[in-house]
Amino acid sequence: MATTTKQDYYELLGVPRKASAKDIRTAFRKLARKYHPDLNPGDKSAEEKFKQLQEAYDVLSDSKKRQMYDQHGFYSDNFNPGSAPRQGGGDDDAAVNFDFGGFDFGGSGGEGAGAGSFRDLFSQFFRSGGGRGGVVEAEQEAGGDLEYQIEIDFWDAVRGAVKKLQITRLDTCETCRGTGAIGSPQTCPVCTGSGTIQQAAGKMRFNVPCTRCGGTGKIRTPCRTCGGEGRVRKTETIEVRIPPGLASGARLRVPGKGNSGTMGAPAGDLYLRVEVRPHPFFERRGNDLYTKVPVTVSEATLGAKIEVPTIDGRSLVRIPPGTNSGSTLRLREKGIPNARNGTRGDQYVEIQVVVPKPTDERVRKLMKELEAVEPGDPRKDLFAKAGV
């Protein structure tokens, strides 16, 4: 058998050149269901595509044929690999010889010629061996995973929540229950269950996959609802539990809510990538929280007890006497709970001393009196530290 299709077989099936036999078979079955003439009545382009897929699968599914194709870029039953250089070997590649004895290349023998023309022979390889009405027997294929991105509120991430989401996925067809066909598989009447048919012309004989059953030996009546796929696209609402302490960028797994498998194969999973909206007061860093709390000059100077916001409500915090602006106080276990074990982080409170505006004469007088009592220079070591 000599191949005539110029398109790369691997590109036709959509697989890499290092694809396994299983990957090639899966890709062929999926594309065969899509382009099968029974599902595309009157579509000549689909029929031609189906023929090309059959030719590519016939070569790549056979280890010896595939090896010749990988080495020389084509396959032929009459080609002697030892007599020709590897593909890409230069101008000598054109010196490959083929033995087509018994062929009438010109087709001038007329309708009654004993040996068909070269063109007629290859058109026979993919001619349907019988009446239409069947699709190739499907095999199990696990469902693929899905990934969605969701945005949640800060408090939902802290406390946990149950969210309702709408997702679109491939679900099992209720008409055929995921089989892609109606009724039980029947033995192919063309190949009688062998999966191959023989084509002959002149001195050459070819065993090729049966085009009626796709090489499986069985045919099925395709389901009209799903077109033989066994799955239909469906939008549904699901409930997802958000665990307490979930951080932005986390990935949640919802088992079994990806695309359904075919022929009873397991469904994939749904993955949710979570983004948490920031809060105007609480800044999250890991499981710790950072906040800024204003205090008066007298509170910072003399010390005080003040209330500060936490995710648990109000907490009483003691400000030590002589606290400078920018000082940080630590509130143990007032941070975010760990999403895995519930261990809580801490909350850090940055003190911001608010200086009164000198608009009142009494304030100005008090500040001058304070400066007279405490004339210290807070910048005396500044230039020494700077080294200037």
Side-chain angles (χ1 to χ4, degrees), residues 2 9 50 62 93 104 159 179 343 345 383:
Y9 286 161
F50 183 75
D62 186 295
D93 289 349
D104 176 12
R159 299 166 179 165
T179 64
T343 303
F383 291 93

Side-chain angles (χ1 to χ4, degrees), residues 7 16 64 130 137 149 164 196 208 221 234 253 273 284 291 322 326 369:
Q7 187 170 352
K64 293 183 179 179
E137 185 180 8
Q149 181 169 313
K164 289 186 176 181
T196 61
V208 297
T221 303
K234 179 182 177 182
R253 174 175 171 264
R273 189 168 295 280
R284 181 174 180 174
T291 56
E369 291 179 2

Side-chain angles (χ1 to χ4, degrees), residues 54-66:
Q54 285 263 349
E55 181 180 344
Y57 179 68
D58 176 52
V59 173
L60 298 185
S61 62
D62 186 295
S63 59
K64 293 183 179 179
K65 294 179 181 180
R66 183 179 179 181

Side-chain angles (χ1 to χ4, degrees), residues 56-94:
Y57 179 68
D58 176 52
V59 173
L60 298 185
S61 62
D62 186 295
S63 59
K64 293 183 179 179
K65 294 179 181 180
R66 183 179 179 181
Q67 183 179 9
M68 179 183 290
Y69 179 80
D70 288 343
Q71 289 179 346
H72 305 287
F74 62 89
Y75 171 77
S76 169
D77 287 335
N78 287 345
F79 175 56
N80 181 8
S83 65
R86 294 173 64 90
Q87 186 179 16
D91 296 337
D92 291 340
D93 289 349

Side-chain angles (χ1 to χ4, degrees), residues 246-319:
L246 200 66
S248 191
R251 202 164 176 247
L252 281 179
R253 174 175 171 264
V254 186
K257 283 301 180 179
N259 290 327
S260 294
T262 61
M263 300 296 291
D269 297 329
L270 170 66
Y271 289 91
L272 300 175
R273 189 168 295 280
V274 180
E275 292 296 328
V276 181
R277 288 190 289 269
H279 191 274
F281 179 74
F282 296 103
E283 179 187 352
R284 181 174 180 174
R285 302 179 193 174
N287 290 327
D288 294 330
L289 290 175
Y290 288 78
T291 56
K292 295 179 180 180
V293 176
V295 298
T296 64
V297 172
S298 60
E299 289 173 332
T301 304
L302 303 176
K305 291 182 178 180
I306 64 172
E307 287 185 329
V308 299
T310 71
I311 59 174
D312 299 319
R314 301 184 178 208
S315 289
L316 195 63
V317 176
R318 178 178 174 275
I319 307 296

Side-chain angles (χ1 to χ4, degrees), residues 89-228:
D91 296 337
D92 291 340
D93 289 349
V96 177
N97 295 316
F98 297 90
D99 178 13
F100 293 109
F103 283 92
D104 176 12
F105 284 85
S108 59
E111 295 291 337
S117 70
F118 186 71
R119 181 183 303 171
D120 291 339
L121 170 67
F122 282 94
S123 67
Q124 290 173 14
F125 288 166
F126 306 102
R127 188 176 300 160
S128 176
R132 293 183 177 179
V135 295
V136 298
E137 185 180 8
E139 64 177 18
Q140 281 193 336
E141 181 181 345
D145 295 332
L146 294 176
E147 182 166 314
Y148 279 75
Q149 181 169 313
I150 62 172
E151 189 178 62
I152 62 175
D153 184 74
F154 173 83
W155 291 110
D156 289 337
V158 171
R159 299 166 179 165
V162 175
K163 290 292 186 181
K164 289 186 176 181
L165 304 174
Q166 271 198 342
I167 63 170
T168 301
R169 56 191 289 266
L170 291 177
D171 200 6
T172 302
C173 175
E174 296 180 357
T175 303
C176 64
R177 297 181 180 179
T179 64
I182 300 174
S184 302
Q186 304 295 321
T187 300
C188 177
V190 177
C191 65
T192 63
S194 66
T196 61
I197 56 177
Q198 192 174 81
Q199 297 284 359
K203 298 179 181 180
M204 300 181 67
R205 292 181 180 275
F206 303 87
N207 284 326
V208 297
C210 175
T211 55
R212 178 72 186 278
C213 65
T216 65
K218 296 181 180 180
I219 58 173
R220 307 177 304 149
T221 303
C223 173
R224 297 287 183 181
T225 302
C226 62

